């Protein structure tokens, strides 16, 4: 087994022999000196690959990263080919994306390069101490045994870098550009604008003041929605589970099956049906008009139209969205709560009953603390998920809700929008990628901060002994 002693990069540079220092230029030098020829070849090939990547690919885009391109596309007629042809123009998005990719490759290579120096210095120390140095075959065996965790994590880590880290970094970079419908590659160029987009979103003056106005209202509704959508379904699922598990409930299996059946229906189907039911001309409004409810609400001043604006007016739409989400989300939470409550410490419950505790006291002092202890992480996840709950908001309000607030409309926002649905509309309908990227960063920061605080304060794991 190779030595796992701790060495630093500075120590390797100052105390390493000639071949360790030579590894700064030729990464395989240290391995070749210690007769690890396969590793030396691999490091040499990797180094050559990065050099070729830099020369043949990265240097086409990195020099243009500072401007994101200066040559606009121009079409001209070629008399030789008798065709319209474009010049060799710049594509700002390609420059941004491939430059970012090049930076990530270089960063990864630097990390490998630094670790390589420390590894060959560690081999030098092992040789000086007369210790055994693994052959390449022994190294491969170690990756199936004591280093098997590295083997398992390699592909997931690469996947995270390619499909998560790079898109997030690209999102951040776009937020500092003027990438929108007026600067759309490949027909146009976009460039860096610094913090102008953030100033616009957080209340910059002039023509951009509407974005600050819309942002405050959309953010407020996003947080209100996330809180109530999470709490109502969580508590509702627990109460429903307790009700179905009660000895006084008849046919519990039938009721449980009916609730589970609602989960089997695709959410977009059920949401679209509910949207049609509660639309201005839907069946619910027809029933309300026939029984006189609409007229009564008009008399007391709650409704000013000939229909009840369940999903088409502020206030009404906000309340209805939360209520409909309860119907959708409670069955999921019921299943989770049922599994957790099956393991509820019966000794504590029986002791509480002997001491004269009422059912509500048992629920408040034993059931809920136990549920929070077991499902606390899931509760945090649900809150974050609801911040990004695109389906419920979009499917219930698209083509039904139209804002009458001109300032909100100027920012392509609606009172019922979450940050994520606003972001979607900005990109898909208005190609305003710069502001969508800023909103995406805000969503990421909110989710990250909330998750860190929640996990540090609510899920501390200091109550484990209480339930054992």
């Amino acid at each position: 087994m190779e030595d796992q002693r701790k060495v630093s990069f500075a120590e390797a540079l100052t105390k390493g022999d000639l071949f360790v220092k030579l590894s700064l230029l030729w990464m395989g030098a240290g391995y070749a000196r210690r007769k690890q020829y396969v590793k030396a070849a691999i490091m040499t090939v990797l180094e050559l690959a990065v050099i070729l990547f830099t020369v043949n690919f990265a240097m086409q885009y990195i020099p243009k990263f500072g401007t994101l391109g200066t040559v606009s596309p121009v079409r001209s007629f070629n008399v030789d080919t008798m065709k319209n042809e474009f010049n060799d123009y710049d594509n700002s998005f390609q420059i941004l994306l491939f430059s970012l990719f090049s930076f990530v490759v270089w960063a990864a290579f630097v990390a490998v390069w630094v670790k390589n120096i420390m590894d060959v210095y560690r081999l030098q120390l092992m040789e000086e101490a007369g210790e055994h140095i693994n052959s390449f075959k022994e190294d491969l065996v170690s990756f199936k045994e004591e280093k098997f965790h590295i083997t398992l994590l390699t592909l997931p880590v690469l996947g995270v870098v390619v499909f998560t880290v790079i898109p997030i970094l690209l999102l951040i970079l776009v937020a500092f550009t003027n990438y929108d419908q007026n600067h759309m590659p490949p027909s146009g160029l976009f460039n860096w604008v610094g913090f102008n987009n953030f100033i616009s979103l957080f209340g910059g003056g002039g023509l951009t003041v509407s974005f600050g106005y819309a942002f405050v209202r959309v953010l407020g509704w996003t947080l209100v929605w996330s809180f109530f959508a999470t709490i109502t379904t969580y508590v509702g699922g627990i109460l429903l589970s307790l009700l179905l598990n009660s000895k006084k409930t008849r046919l519990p299996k039938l009721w449980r099956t009916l609730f589970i059946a609602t989960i089997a229906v695709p959410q977009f189907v059920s949401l679209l049906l509910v949207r049609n039911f509660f639309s201005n001309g839907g069946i619910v409004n027809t029933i309300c008009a026939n029984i006189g409810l609409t007229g009564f609400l008009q008399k007391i001043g709650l409704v000013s139209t000939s229909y009840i604006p369940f999903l088409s007016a502020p206030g009404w739409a906000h309340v209805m969205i939360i209520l409909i989400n309860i119907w959708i989300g409670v069955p999921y939470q019921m299943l989770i709560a049922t599994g957790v409550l099956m393991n509820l410490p019966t000794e504590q419950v029986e002791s509480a009953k002997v001491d004269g505790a009422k059912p509500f006291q048992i629920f408040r002092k034993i059931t809920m603390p136990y549920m929070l202890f077991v499902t606390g992480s899931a509760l945090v996840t649900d809150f974050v998920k609801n911040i990004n709950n695109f389906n419920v908001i979009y499917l219930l309000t698209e083509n039904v809700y139209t804002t009458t607030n001109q300032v909100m409309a100027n920012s392509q926002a609606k009172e019922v929008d979450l940050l994520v649905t606003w972001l979607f509309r900005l990109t898909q309908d208005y190609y305003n990628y710069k502001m969508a990227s800023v909103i995406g960063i805000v969503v990421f920061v909110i989710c990250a901060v909330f998750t860190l605080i929640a996990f540090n304060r609510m899920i501390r794991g200091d109550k484990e002994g209480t339930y054992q």
Side-chain angles (χ1 to χ4, degrees), residues 136-180:
F136 183 70
K137 183 177 180 180
E138 289 173 325
D139 282 333
L140 289 180
V141 172
S142 71
F143 281 105
K144 293 194 301 182
E145 297 177 357
E146 64 268 15
K147 295 182 180 179
F148 188 61
H149 61 285
I150 298 177
T151 305
L152 287 178
L153 289 174
T154 299
L155 284 179
V157 168
L158 288 176
V160 168
V161 171
V162 173
F163 298 108
T164 302
V165 174
I166 291 180
I168 289 176
L169 293 177
L170 182 64
L171 171 77
I172 294 172
L173 291 177
V174 169
F176 294 92
T177 70
N178 60 346
Y179 185 13
D180 57 19

Side-chain angles (χ1 to χ4, degrees), residues 247-442:
K247 296 180 180 179
K248 298 180 180 180
T249 302
R250 296 183 178 181
L251 302 175
K253 293 183 179 179
L254 172 63
W255 295 113
R256 191 176 291 111
T257 302
L258 291 176
F259 282 110
I260 293 175
T262 61
I263 301 176
V265 180
Q267 193 178 82
F268 77 92
V269 174
S270 57
L271 288 174
L272 290 177
L273 286 174
V274 172
R275 183 185 72 180
N276 292 334
F277 289 162
F278 287 95
S279 64
N280 295 341
I283 187 172
V284 176
N285 259 307
T286 301
I287 294 174
C288 291
N290 291 337
I291 64 176
L293 179 60
T294 304
F296 172 74
L297 294 176
Q298 289 174 336
K299 289 181 181 179
I300 62 176
L302 291 179
V303 173
S304 59
T305 56
S306 59
Y307 53 84
I308 302 175
F310 290 110
L311 296 172
S312 58
W316 283 94
H318 292 147
V319 173
M320 285 304 303
I321 289 170
I322 293 175
L323 293 177
I324 293 171
N325 184 71
I326 294 175
W327 169 68
I328 293 174
V330 162
Y332 288 96
Q333 293 296 339
M334 178 201 71
L335 291 178
I336 297 173
T338 299
V340 174
L341 291 175
M342 290 176 64
N343 297 310
L344 184 67
T346 55
E347 298 83 1
Q348 294 187 16
V349 176
E350 294 300 328
S351 298
K353 290 180 179 179
V354 171
D355 292 339
K358 303 295 183 182
F360 179 74
Q361 291 176 316
I362 294 175
F363 175 78
R364 186 169 64 90
K365 294 292 186 178
I366 299 177
T367 304
M368 278 306 298
Y370 180 75
M371 286 293 302
L372 288 172
F373 167 72
V374 176
T375 64
S377 57
L379 187 62
V380 174
T381 303
D382 284 341
F383 183 85
V384 174
K385 181 188 71 175
N386 282 320
I387 289 178
N388 296 288
N389 196 330
F390 178 85
N391 285 351
V392 173
I393 303 298
Y394 186 82
L395 294 176
L396 286 178
T397 61
E398 185 64 14
N399 298 324
V400 173
Y401 188 95
T402 302
T403 182
T404 57
N405 188 322
Q406 190 58 47
V407 182
M408 294 285 286
N410 289 341
S411 300
Q412 296 86 45
K414 301 177 182 178
E415 289 87 348
V416 293
D417 270 335
L418 302 184
L419 290 174
V420 67
T421 57
W422 187 21
L423 182 155
F424 176 81
R425 187 174 295 106
L426 285 172
T427 56
Q428 296 300 309
D429 297 341
Y430 300 97
Y431 307 104
N432 195 342
Y433 296 102
K434 60 181 184 181
M435 297 307 300
S437 297
V438 178
I439 295 171
I441 294 173
V442 172

